[in-house]
Amino acid sequence: MARAFAKISFTPNVQAVQTEMGSRTAYRTAELGDTETVALSEFEQAFITERDSFYQATVSQSGWPYVQHRGGPAGFLKILDEQTIGYADFSGNRQYISVGNLRGDERVSLLLMDYPGRQRLKIWGRARVVNELSEPELLAKLEPTDFRGPVERGIVIRVEAFDWNCPKYITPRYSQREVEALLAQARQLEPVVNTTHVPAALGNGMLPLTISGIRQLTPRIRAYELRHADGESLPPHQAGAHLRVPITLPDGTLTSRAYSLTTVLNDPDCYRIAVLRVEDGDGGSLALHDGWQMGVRINVEAPENYFPLHDDDRPAVLIAGGIGITPIKAMAETLAARGTAFQLHYTGRAPQDMAFVKDLQRRFSHRCRFYFSQAQNPTRLDVSALLVNASTDTVIYVCGPTRLIDSVRQTARQLGIADERVQFESFI
């Protein structure tokens, strides 16, 4: 939880209620130390620019709050820099309550909702009005290029704090555009029904599984849910475990690939894996993406674990690159459930190419940091700075490309970190 948010929100009256309700101790640490420089990361910026509406609160001269819904085309709330956002204010019912309130009190609070993803971002800031006479160039930056609504003014907000909310009571809702996209995706995943021949189950393991769910996480990463073919309970597994699954290559050859199980706690009777489609690889991921459909049956052995998570209370640093997030995600969930301290650092090309980014940000927002090498404003993981600040008992886990693993291991050795404190698993 950011100190800027805590220092704005946790007034003496709020602190008194926290004390009465028993939560004061848990929140007290959020207020300690100097207030940090508030900056919207690449993740917050992407989330903001994806919204097509938000709720804005202002304060009237009489002290009453006023909440207004603002809407427009996706991206109408614009990022001006990492501390400034703004939007074009379209002509409405001409009451001008929000604009009038800003003349007396520049403070605003915004609530941005992602109903399908069950996420909400709260922003506090100080707003000012801009118009065509005073700042025509700035107003032009705020105007959407493909929207015909009449713009009366611009609102520019200097962000002073933000915080991600708990998703517990957010009911998923979908716009017409989102429903159409889901239907199109479902049609792509519909199995081809062969009425003349039902193929036998793939593989010869002792554990029969059926593909019970398929979800497209990114344009190249697809998640699969696997349940016992006879409805029985599945053998338990721990974070870091993998499942070796059979795959039929285009030439008819039966092979197998190992994929990390991405979750441990949500549903003990369901195995979940995520598979990156690699166009120039050895063909295994392509065959899986093209051949696995709902209802396909496979026979496998129980999960194995060569990348286990420590079982004591030592803190952890989790580092993931690309599809290497799959075992790291399960580790983060396990550590959080134990109450063990951890940090998660996840690097990839851009948010839209990285699996589970929104889920991790929603669940572990204050323990995750994301790095985007090919985003508009690239951010890169500084392995040396990360490891030099780790405590002497911290266990380090890294999964991803060989280059990332080598960087972490070499840096750890240079810093005198024992090899047994650095655990790794390679994903090409």
Side-chain angles (χ1 to χ4, degrees):
M1 180 171 294
R3 289 187 293 276
F5 159 69
K7 291 191 173 185
I8 287 175
S9 303
F10 295 167
T11 62
N13 283 340
V14 172
Q15 294 176 19
V17 176
Q18 290 174 349
T19 300
E20 293 169 8
M21 301 304 293
S23 63
R24 180 67 192 141
T25 301
Y27 287 122
R28 177 75 179 95
T29 56
E31 303 165 20
L32 301 178
D34 296 330
T35 301
E36 73 276 29
T37 299
V38 175
L40 298 167
S41 73
E42 192 78 23
F43 181 82
E44 279 86 29
Q45 293 182 35
F47 183 85
I48 290 169
T49 55
E50 289 171 358
R51 301 305 106 213
D52 59 8
S53 68
F54 62 89
Y55 303 94
Q56 174 184 276
T58 55
V59 183
S60 72
Q61 286 176 290
S62 59
W64 284 98
Y66 178 71
V67 179
Q68 184 178 43
H69 173 269
R70 307 305 295 167
F76 84 103
L77 181 58
K78 298 182 180 295
I79 303 294
L80 300 179
D81 59 47
E82 63 182 9
Q83 294 178 299
T84 314
I85 60 178
Y87 64 93
D89 196 18
F90 307 120
S91 178
N93 58 16
R94 302 178 66 83
Q95 291 183 345
Y96 303 120
I97 298 176
S98 294
V99 177
N101 287 346
L102 291 177
R103 288 195 175 181
D105 193 326
E106 63 184 355
R107 292 174 298 173
V108 295
S109 178
L110 274 58
L111 184 63
L112 282 64
M113 301 296 301
D114 171 12
Y115 287 105
R118 300 182 70 218
Q119 297 181 99
R120 53 186 166 188
L121 175 63
K122 299 179 294 188
I123 298 175
W124 289 260
R126 298 182 181 274
R128 65 184 182 90
V129 177
V130 300
N131 57 53
E132 191 169 7
L133 293 177
S134 63
E135 298 174 85
E137 293 182 359
L138 179 54
L139 183 61
K141 290 182 180 180
L142 300 177
E143 294 181 1
T145 57
D146 54 352
F147 190 68
R148 296 178 179 271
V151 176
E152 290 191 335
R153 67 192 61 78
I155 305 295
V156 175
I157 301 169
R158 186 73 171 174
V159 177
E160 296 209 351
F162 63 86
D163 188 56
W164 290 90
N165 247 137
C166 170
K168 186 174 182 180
Y169 297 113
I170 300 177
T171 301
R173 296 185 175 91
Y174 300 86
S175 67
Q176 180 179 345
R177 176 180 56 83
E178 290 162 341
V179 170
E180 290 172 348
L182 288 171
L183 289 174
Q185 177 180 317
R187 294 187 188 101
Q188 292 178 354
L189 298 176
E190 286 178 357
V192 176
V193 178
N194 187 333
T195 58
T196 62
H197 175 64
V198 178
L202 298 176
N204 53 14
M206 300 299 293
L207 182 62
L209 300 177
T210 298
I211 299 173
S212 61
I214 302 175
R215 186 160 62 100
Q216 199 75 33
L217 301 180
T218 77
R220 297 175 59 213
I221 300 175
R222 191 172 290 176
Y224 297 88
E225 294 182 357
L226 304 165
R227 297 181 183 274
H228 197 289
D230 300 323
E232 299 178 10
S233 297
L234 294 175
H237 65 281
Q238 303 297 321
H242 67 264
L243 192 70
R244 182 165 289 278
V245 301
I247 302 170
T248 302
L249 297 177
D251 63 2
T253 303
L254 183 65
T255 185
S256 67
R257 297 290 184 272
Y259 295 103
S260 294
L261 294 162
T262 64
T263 188
V264 175
L265 305 173
N266 290 348
D267 186 349
D269 290 329
C270 180
Y271 293 153
R272 290 178 172 84
I273 63 173
V275 182
L276 171 68
R277 184 182 181 98
V278 181
E279 299 293 342
D280 57 352
D282 60 10
S285 68
L286 295 180
L288 190 150
H289 271 246
D290 295 338
W292 276 27
Q293 305 291 345
M294 293 285 288
V296 166
R297 294 180 59 149
I298 59 176
N299 296 319
V300 302
E301 299 297 341
E304 297 180 284
N305 197 339
Y306 303 120
F307 190 40
L309 183 66
H310 65 284
D311 57 4
D312 52 51
D313 60 358
R314 287 176 295 168
V317 169
L318 311 176
I319 304 172
I323 195 61
I325 190 61
T326 49
I328 296 297
K329 173 179 176 289
M331 290 180 175
E333 292 173 352
T334 300
L335 292 168
R338 286 185 196 165
T340 302
F342 72 91
Q343 300 174 26
L344 193 160
H345 298 264
Y346 182 12
T347 179
R349 295 180 179 178
Q352 61 269 24
D353 299 321
M354 298 162 64
F356 308 117
V357 165
K358 291 184 177 180
D359 183 50
L360 293 169
Q361 177 65 43
R362 172 176 60 82
R363 299 172 65 184
F364 312 120
S365 61
H366 305 298
R367 290 185 274 193
C368 291
R369 185 166 180 186
F370 304 96
Y371 308 86
F372 311 115
S373 63
Q374 296 183 14
Q376 184 175 0
N377 298 306
T379 54
R380 297 190 181 277
L381 173 64
D382 186 337
V383 174
S384 180
L386 175 61
L387 298 189
V388 77
N389 291 317
S391 64
T392 56
D393 61 342
T394 296
V395 186
I396 300 156
Y397 297 87
V398 55
C399 184
T402 302
R403 182 174 57 183
L404 174 64
I405 293 173
D406 290 345
S407 175
V408 172
R409 297 181 69 197
Q410 292 170 12
T411 303
R413 286 171 180 165
Q414 292 168 2
L415 295 173
I417 298 173
D419 285 349
E420 58 266 23
R421 285 178 51 206
V422 182
Q423 304 297 316
F424 62 93
E425 187 170 65
S426 178
F427 274 63
I428 304 300

